[in-house]
Amino acid sequence: MSRVRIAEPAAIEDAARLLKLGRLVAFPTETVYGLGGDALNTAACQAIFQAKNRPVDHPLIVHLPDAAQLDRWAVNIPDAAWKLAEAFWPGPLTLIVPKHPDVPTTVTGGQNAIGLRVPNHPVALALLSTFGSGIAAPSANRFQHISPTRASHVLDDLGARVEMILDGGPCSLGLESTIVNLTGDQPQILRPGAIGKEALEAVLGNPVLDHQLRTDPELRVSGAMTLHYAPQTPCFLCPTALLAKVLSDDSQAGLLTYSASLPNNLVRHHIRLSDQPTLYGHELYQALRTLDKTDVDTIIIESPPETVPWQAVNDRLRKAAKKLHRPYELTTAT
Ligand code: TXA
Ligand code: MG
């Protein structure tokens, strides 16, 4: 039987059985595909790190079937966590809270804080409720590569390193969850995502710190590392006004744009995404993977506006565009 299986009930049952045996199963969520293993099984968690080539001190998010399980995984849960869980779960929000002492530190990369989330995807929820416990699941890609938003991306990245891939079609959001740290004095966004600061503040009735203001050096967030979410091909950001000049200097470049005013097919490999940030985010990783597979020697990315709705997209683009070795650096948006 093929490794990739349409996420029908029988396949979900098989996937839950594999998880019970300590094996790894990739599954769709509304954000990106996750590489799942039994969060309470130390060997399974170690296998996740190994499959991704991820350093073992980078914590894994534990996915739960519902918010009622929060206190099995965390202790001293702040009110803010319950409020946010109530408002946004199932949904693209990961809460960092103090870990329950019964949860092995393998899954948290040695930390006493744990990342928890209830994903909003029928396949993920069916798998979680059949499995009945927490599933540790980082994005199902090799370490520092782009997150997968389709089953085929997981297969490309992990192949035989994962026992089964549940195919639930393209992920509806396409960018990873918002991560909020609730272990400090004030809630703080560690990774921007579909749920923005304003929405969090509206529920909490208190200010939430932005992700740029990270103050706690103890928290290791791999998404916050300099090289991350990057295609193999060097990428750089370029303001709209400079695109024509940059392209005239580089005929071998691939191009990713969003401006409706720019013509299509400016270069041989040109992908134009939506000028709506949500739709753009939905297609971004697929577009980067497509351009990465062509023979282009650089990927030029039109810089989106520095506005709140584009925050999560800009965060991922800045990380993708870290591999810069060319004079174009001068034109890179900061
Ligand atoms: O949307 C998502 O969050 C996807 C889907 C599969 O749920 N998962 C995901 O996992 O993006 P991953 O491991 O690729 O990124 C999760 C980030 C990592 O940067 C990790 O360091 C951080 O969450 N994280 C997880 N647990 C943490 C903890 N206890 N403390 C601080 N950061 C944590
Ligand atoms: Mg990841």
Side-chain angles (χ1 to χ4, degrees):
M1 196 171 288
S2 158
R3 199 172 300 281
V4 180
R5 298 209 21 214
I6 300 294
E8 291 165 344
I12 294 174
E13 294 271 342
D14 289 348
R17 255 193 301 277
L18 287 171
L19 290 174
K20 290 274 179 221
L21 295 171
R23 317 282 251 287
L24 305 188
V25 170
F27 61 96
T29 79
E30 78 279 36
T31 57
V32 300
Y33 275 73
L35 174 61
D38 180 349
L40 294 177
N41 179 332
T42 297
C45 292
Q46 284 164 343
I48 294 177
F49 287 110
Q50 215 166 35
K52 278 181 66 90
N53 284 342
R54 176 163 164 158
V56 293
D57 61 354
H58 286 276
L60 309 175
I61 295 176
V62 177
H63 296 67
L64 304 179
D66 54 61
Q69 285 206 7
L70 197 55
D71 53 10
R72 286 198 221 162
W73 297 85
V75 285
N76 303 327
I77 303 168
D79 276 354
W82 291 111
K83 281 189 192 162
L84 293 176
E86 159 111 15
F88 297 112
W89 283 356
L93 179 68
T94 298
L95 301 176
I96 309 289
V97 285
K99 183 184 80 61
H100 194 290
D102 292 351
V103 179
T105 49
T106 322
V107 74
T108 61
Q111 301 192 61
N112 285 322
I114 187 165
L116 299 171
R117 150 167 138 83
V118 178
N120 188 16
H121 190 291
V123 173
L125 289 170
L127 180 65
L128 282 159
S129 65
T130 310
F131 182 64
S133 177
I135 301 179
S139 52
N141 52 280
R142 300 265 182 134
F143 186 55
Q144 296 183 333
H145 198 201
I146 309 164
S147 290
T149 54
R150 299 176 183 206
S152 61
H153 300 167
V154 181
L155 191 65
D156 280 355
D157 256 42
L158 298 177
R161 292 173 176 225
V162 54
E163 187 113 1
M164 188 200 282
I165 302 169
L166 284 172
D167 187 349
C171 300
S172 58
L173 293 175
L175 295 182
E176 304 84 349
S177 60
T178 304
I179 302 180
V180 180
N181 177 25
L182 297 172
T183 65
D185 295 340
Q186 237 180 308
Q188 178 162 29
I189 296 176
L190 301 182
R191 180 174 71 186
I195 296 174
K197 183 168 132 87
E198 290 71 21
L200 298 166
E201 289 177 337
V203 167
L204 295 177
N206 282 313
V208 170
L209 296 173
D210 248 328
H211 75 289
Q212 284 91 349
L213 305 169
R214 291 186 61 235
T215 46
D216 185 353
E218 293 296 302
L219 279 173
R220 289 182 294 266
V221 182
S222 67
M225 288 175 43
T226 45
L227 261 183
H228 213 77
Y229 308 113
Q232 308 298 306
T233 316
C235 296
F236 72 95
L237 286 157
C238 180
T240 315
L242 293 172
L243 278 177
K245 161 91 184 80
V246 165
L247 290 174
S248 68
D249 289 349
D250 192 346
S251 56
Q252 290 310 309
L255 180 64
L256 186 65
T257 64
Y258 68 90
S259 288
S261 58
L262 290 172
N264 278 322
N265 304 320
L266 273 170
V267 286
R268 200 155 51 90
H269 296 289
H270 176 186
I271 297 179
R272 189 166 83 186
L273 298 181
S274 171
D275 58 3
Q276 299 303 309
T278 319
L279 295 174
Y280 184 106
H282 173 70
E283 291 299 325
L284 173 62
Y285 291 150
Q286 163 71 12
L288 287 175
R289 279 177 187 265
T290 303
L291 288 172
D292 209 16
K293 279 188 177 167
T294 65
D295 58 355
V296 300
D297 61 6
T298 0
I299 300 173
I300 298 169
I301 304 172
E302 180 186 13
S303 321
E306 289 291 334
T307 55
V308 171
W310 285 94
Q311 216 170 29
V313 163
N314 281 326
D315 172 71
R316 305 319 190 266
L317 289 181
R318 268 192 287 271
K319 283 162 187 158
K322 280 289 177 186
K323 284 183 182 168
L324 279 183
H325 311 288
R326 311 189 47 145
Y328 302 129
E329 280 185 44
L330 295 172
T331 64
T332 302
T334 51

